[in-house]
Amino acid sequence: MESAHDNEPTGSNICEVLRILGAKWAFLVIAELYKGPRRFKQLQRDIAIVKTQSLTDTLRHLEQTGVVRREVFPTVPVTVEYSLTEKGIDFQTALKEMDKWVMKWGNQQP
Protein backbone atom coordinates (compact mmCIF):
# COMPACT_ATOMS: atom_id res chain seq x y z
CA MET A 1 0.00 0.00 0.00
CA GLU A 2 1.40 3.42 -1.00
CA SER A 3 1.33 6.31 1.41
CA ALA A 4 0.88 9.95 0.40
CA HIS A 5 4.58 10.47 1.11
CA ASP A 6 5.72 7.89 -1.47
CA ASN A 7 5.27 10.45 -4.27
CA GLU A 8 7.21 13.20 -2.51
CA PRO A 9 10.53 14.23 -4.04
CA THR A 10 13.57 13.10 -2.10
CA GLY A 11 16.49 15.34 -1.33
CA SER A 12 18.73 13.36 -3.64
CA ASN A 13 16.25 13.73 -6.54
CA ILE A 14 16.05 17.47 -6.01
CA CYS A 15 19.85 17.66 -5.89
CA GLU A 16 20.01 15.74 -9.18
CA VAL A 17 17.58 18.19 -10.83
CA LEU A 18 19.68 21.11 -9.60
CA ARG A 19 22.87 19.42 -10.83
CA ILE A 20 21.38 18.94 -14.30
CA LEU A 21 19.94 22.44 -14.51
CA GLY A 22 22.75 23.90 -12.46
CA ALA A 23 22.88 27.49 -13.54
CA LYS A 24 21.01 30.25 -11.78
CA TRP A 25 19.21 31.29 -14.97
CA ALA A 26 18.46 27.84 -16.37
CA PHE A 27 14.71 28.03 -15.74
CA LEU A 28 14.41 31.30 -17.69
CA VAL A 29 16.48 29.97 -20.58
CA ILE A 30 14.44 26.77 -20.77
CA ALA A 31 11.16 28.71 -20.64
CA GLU A 32 12.33 30.99 -23.46
CA LEU A 33 13.59 28.13 -25.64
CA TYR A 34 10.28 26.33 -25.14
CA LYS A 35 8.82 29.03 -27.41
CA GLY A 36 11.16 27.81 -30.17
CA PRO A 37 14.79 27.87 -31.32
CA ARG A 38 16.67 31.10 -30.68
CA ARG A 39 19.98 32.66 -31.61
CA PHE A 40 22.17 33.96 -28.81
CA LYS A 41 21.33 37.64 -29.44
CA GLN A 42 17.61 36.82 -29.50
CA LEU A 43 17.92 35.10 -26.13
CA GLN A 44 19.95 38.01 -24.81
CA ARG A 45 17.20 40.46 -25.84
CA ASP A 46 14.38 38.26 -24.57
CA ILE A 47 16.04 37.62 -21.19
CA ALA A 48 17.58 41.05 -20.68
CA ILE A 49 17.96 40.49 -16.93
CA VAL A 50 20.73 37.92 -17.59
CA LYS A 51 24.23 39.24 -18.24
CA THR A 52 26.05 38.03 -21.37
CA GLN A 53 28.61 35.85 -19.52
CA SER A 54 25.91 34.29 -17.33
CA LEU A 55 23.81 33.46 -20.39
CA THR A 56 26.86 31.91 -22.08
CA ASP A 57 27.66 29.84 -18.98
CA THR A 58 24.03 28.74 -18.60
CA LEU A 59 23.75 27.66 -22.24
CA ARG A 60 27.03 25.73 -22.03
CA HIS A 61 25.94 23.95 -18.88
CA LEU A 62 22.51 23.08 -20.30
CA GLU A 63 24.17 21.81 -23.47
CA GLN A 64 26.59 19.63 -21.48
CA THR A 65 23.72 18.11 -19.48
CA GLY A 66 21.67 17.37 -22.60
CA VAL A 67 18.88 19.89 -22.03
CA VAL A 68 19.83 22.30 -24.84
CA ARG A 69 21.06 21.60 -28.36
CA ARG A 70 23.51 24.00 -30.00
CA GLU A 71 23.46 23.95 -33.78
CA VAL A 72 26.02 25.77 -35.93
CA PHE A 73 25.08 26.78 -39.47
CA PRO A 74 27.86 27.37 -42.04
CA THR A 75 26.89 30.93 -42.95
CA VAL A 76 28.98 34.09 -43.08
CA PRO A 77 29.14 35.04 -40.30
CA VAL A 78 28.50 31.68 -38.62
CA THR A 79 24.98 31.33 -37.23
CA VAL A 80 24.45 29.48 -33.95
CA GLU A 81 20.98 28.45 -32.85
CA TYR A 82 19.88 27.01 -29.51
CA SER A 83 16.89 24.75 -29.00
CA LEU A 84 15.59 22.31 -26.43
CA THR A 85 16.30 18.62 -26.66
CA GLU A 86 13.61 16.08 -25.80
CA LYS A 87 14.97 16.17 -22.24
CA GLY A 88 14.53 19.95 -22.16
CA ILE A 89 11.04 19.87 -23.63
CA ASP A 90 10.01 17.30 -21.04
CA PHE A 91 10.95 19.75 -18.27
CA GLN A 92 8.08 22.05 -19.36
CA THR A 93 5.67 20.05 -17.18
CA ALA A 94 7.69 20.96 -14.10
CA LEU A 95 7.84 24.63 -15.15
CA LYS A 96 4.05 24.72 -15.53
CA GLU A 97 3.62 23.28 -12.04
CA MET A 98 6.03 25.88 -10.65
CA ASP A 99 4.02 28.59 -12.41
CA LYS A 100 0.81 27.31 -10.80
CA TRP A 101 2.49 27.30 -7.41
CA VAL A 102 3.72 30.90 -7.69
CA MET A 103 0.31 32.07 -8.93
CA LYS A 104 -1.22 30.61 -5.79
CA TRP A 105 1.45 31.53 -3.23
CA GLY A 106 3.86 34.03 -4.77
CA ASN A 107 2.49 37.31 -3.44
CA GLN A 108 1.27 36.14 -0.07
CA GLN A 109 2.93 37.30 3.10
CA PRO A 110 3.53 34.77 5.91
Side-chain angles (χ1 to χ4, degrees):
M1 180 198 276
E2 282 188 27
S3 74
H5 297 288
D6 288 343
N7 293 329
E8 291 180 8
T10 65
S12 62
N13 287 343
I14 291 170
C15 287
E16 181 64 12
V17 169
L18 293 174
R19 185 197 64 75
I20 291 169
L21 299 180
K24 178 179 178 179
W25 303 108
F27 295 97
L28 288 176
V29 171
I30 293 169
E32 195 59 40
L33 289 176
Y34 191 72
K35 298 173 187 175
R38 297 281 192 276
R39 294 182 184 172
F40 185 85
K41 289 291 186 184
Q42 288 174 299
L43 280 171
Q44 202 172 26
R45 278 191 301 272
D46 295 341
I47 314 173
I49 191 171
V50 182
K51 303 282 187 231
T52 303
Q53 188 59 52
S54 295
L55 181 57
T56 299
D57 294 344
T58 300
L59 286 166
R60 283 182 184 154
H61 180 81
L62 292 173
E63 184 183 4
Q64 288 170 355
T65 57
V67 174
V68 167
R69 176 182 308 108
R70 179 179 184 267
E71 192 171 356
V72 179
F73 297 94
T75 57
V76 178
V78 172
T79 303
V80 178
E81 190 174 83
Y82 296 92
S83 60
L84 293 176
T85 62
E86 183 180 350
K87 184 177 182 179
I89 292 168
D90 201 38
F91 189 70
Q92 187 63 19
T93 304
L95 285 176
K96 286 179 182 177
E97 288 302 314
M98 289 168 42
D99 192 51
K100 284 184 204 175
W101 183 86
V102 81
M103 294 298 286
K104 182 176 181 179
W105 299 102
N107 293 323
Q108 291 188 6
Q109 297 298 318

